[in-house]
Amino acid sequence: MDVLDTFGRPLRDLRISVTDRCNFRCVYCMPREVYGRDYRFLERRELLSFEEIARAARVFAGLGVQKIRITGGEPLVRRELERLIAMLSGLGLDLTLTTNASLLPQKAAALAEAGLQRVTVSLDALDDETFRAMNDADFPVARVLEGIDAAAAAGLPVKVNCVVKRGVNDDQIVPLAEHFRAAGHTLRFIEYMDVGHTNGWRLDDVVSAAEIVGALDEAFGVEPVEPSYRGEVARRWRYRDGRGEVGVIASVTQPFCGDCTRARLSAEGKLYTCLFAVRGHDVRALLRNGASDDDLAESLRALWSVRGDRYSELRSAQTVDLPKVEMSYIGG
Ligand SMILES: C[S@@+](CC[C@H](N)C(=O)[O-])C[C@H]1O[C@@H](n2cnc3c(N)ncnc32)[C@H](O)[C@@H]1O
Ligand code: SF4
């Protein structure tokens, strides 16, 4: 049965982070100065087990969740992720995964077989030098493109996400658009967000959606497409020559809290009702203290029904310094 928050927003999407670890050190997400040798990642016993995740997901489905996105850190560094996918695919929900694609060549077929329906791949540049500098793990573009091909060959529709940071990869907007419309994969540009504190975010580094669309319009000619459903995060633009569409996610300059139907479960089982929430609610304790599914459902319903988050709409000089969770912890 549906549960509504204080603004009447239903709970429809659940993002589940399965690890806070990653094999990349993207400069806007896990800067190496912070996530180096001494960084304390979660220990194995702190992580929700696949069984615990699957149980929580089942209860969430009973509250109206229709879509599950697996994320991280890098979700494919968690061993046997396909086993979790198989457990979740039984729920009959829309099931997708966000990944840096580094491990997709070896994993795509098993994930598709297990019931994964789609993947979103993050790729911030086509230029190899730019990309290696952005992921700060010296990882080449060619291997990400191999991962995308492996997913497509396994029958998984692929979307590609690109975070744009001024002076770093804004010259990649047009080459990425050119490449992916020819390849037939949906591409979405994302404004660089002030998530967490470790990335040293500054408003000046944000390339606005308007600037991104301006660059696309100049290069190809684009026109807006009407949103296809409530809560669609990306604004879509159609190439005037009829060769496909491109999306832009204006999370900073045009926030979309009014339609936000997402909850986020961290790898250690904390539930966040907003990407910018300061505190998570301890679902792991509920899962481990013998609560029945009905008790669990009741607690989650209570948490969602008092939800009043709309951080992005309130974003201002005063909110910049609030404690916030890191993207690599909560998964985007
Ligand atoms: C945290 S990652 C986790 C999944 C996987 N490792 C990946 O990169 O796709 C999820 C998404 O968040 C995006 N992201 C990370 N930090 C961001 C930031 N500061 N602003 C906007 N998007 C960000 C990444 O580009 C990626 O598309
Ligand atoms: S964006 Fe994804 S790939 Fe990059 S550091 Fe963050 S979690 Fe890793």
Side-chain angles (χ1 to χ4, degrees), residues 22 24 26 28-30 73 100:
C22 185
F24 284 13
C26 300
Y28 53 76
C29 180
M30 296 180 82
N100 62 25

Side-chain angles (χ1 to χ4, degrees), residues 15-259:
R15 295 197 175 178
I16 304 174
S17 170
V18 293
T19 178
D20 59 340
R21 292 170 198 257
C22 185
N23 52 347
F24 284 13
R25 287 291 176 271
C26 300
V27 290
Y28 53 76
C29 180
M30 296 180 82
R32 202 171 275 284
E33 313 83 84
V34 179
Y35 294 88
R37 260 170 199 279
D38 299 333
Y39 187 80
R40 186 193 165 283
F41 289 100
L42 294 170
E43 287 173 33
R44 194 166 174 78
R45 66 185 158 72
E46 297 178 276
L47 301 181
L48 292 186
S49 67
F50 288 166
E51 287 70 21
E52 288 168 333
I53 292 174
R55 181 178 166 217
R58 181 161 38 84
V59 172
F60 272 106
L63 296 173
V65 162
Q66 296 171 350
K67 176 171 162 186
I68 291 183
R69 176 176 297 279
I70 302 298
T71 178
E74 172 47 44
L76 297 183
V77 304
R78 178 123 179 212
R79 258 179 292 155
E80 292 181 39
L81 188 75
E82 55 280 12
R83 203 163 64 75
L84 175 66
I85 298 295
M87 291 161 84
L88 296 176
S89 71
L91 295 174
L93 308 178
D94 186 18
L95 184 57
T96 175
L97 168 87
T98 302
T99 174
N100 62 25
S102 57
L103 297 170
L104 268 184
Q106 48 278 44
K107 287 280 189 178
L111 292 166
E113 177 109 338
L116 188 70
Q117 290 162 355
R118 294 177 288 116
V119 286
T120 300
V121 167
S122 305
L123 176 62
D124 301 318
L126 267 191
D127 175 71
D128 201 52
E129 201 181 322
T130 307
F131 183 60
R132 285 178 194 251
M134 270 187 102
N135 65 54
D136 200 13
D138 209 23
F139 199 86
V141 172
R143 301 246 315 265
V144 174
L145 298 178
E146 261 173 50
I148 291 174
D149 288 347
L156 295 169
V158 179
K159 280 187 185 157
V160 178
N161 278 354
C162 167
V163 175
V164 187
K165 189 170 176 194
R166 189 178 305 284
V168 178
N169 66 334
D170 38 357
D171 63 344
Q172 295 297 297
I173 295 171
V174 170
L176 280 165
E178 185 81 69
H179 178 88
F180 284 109
R181 75 187 194 126
H185 300 307
T186 303
L187 172 67
R188 290 151 355 143
F189 292 102
I190 305 178
E191 285 179 350
Y192 173 39
M193 281 188 282
D194 52 333
V195 204
H197 279 291
T198 56
N199 60 11
W201 183 89
R202 296 177 320 138
L203 189 57
D204 289 350
D205 293 333
V206 178
V207 179
S208 69
E211 287 175 89
I212 295 169
V213 172
L216 294 169
D217 195 35
E218 196 179 311
F220 310 103
V222 293
E223 60 195 14
V225 180
E226 282 303 306
S228 50
Y229 58 91
R230 180 183 173 192
E232 189 173 24
V233 174
R235 305 214 173 170
R236 292 184 295 136
W237 298 78
R238 178 188 299 123
Y239 295 108
R240 284 188 201 272
D241 63 7
R243 288 179 48 217
E245 287 183 6
V246 58
V248 183
I249 304 180
S251 21
V252 177
T253 60
Q254 292 151 10
F256 33 77
C257 306
D259 279 336

Side-chain angles (χ1 to χ4, degrees), residues 303-317:
L303 286 176
W304 188 263
S305 57
V306 298
R307 174 187 192 242
D309 307 286
R310 53 187 197 95
Y311 169 86
S312 288
E313 288 177 355
L314 303 174
R315 180 185 279 117
S316 68

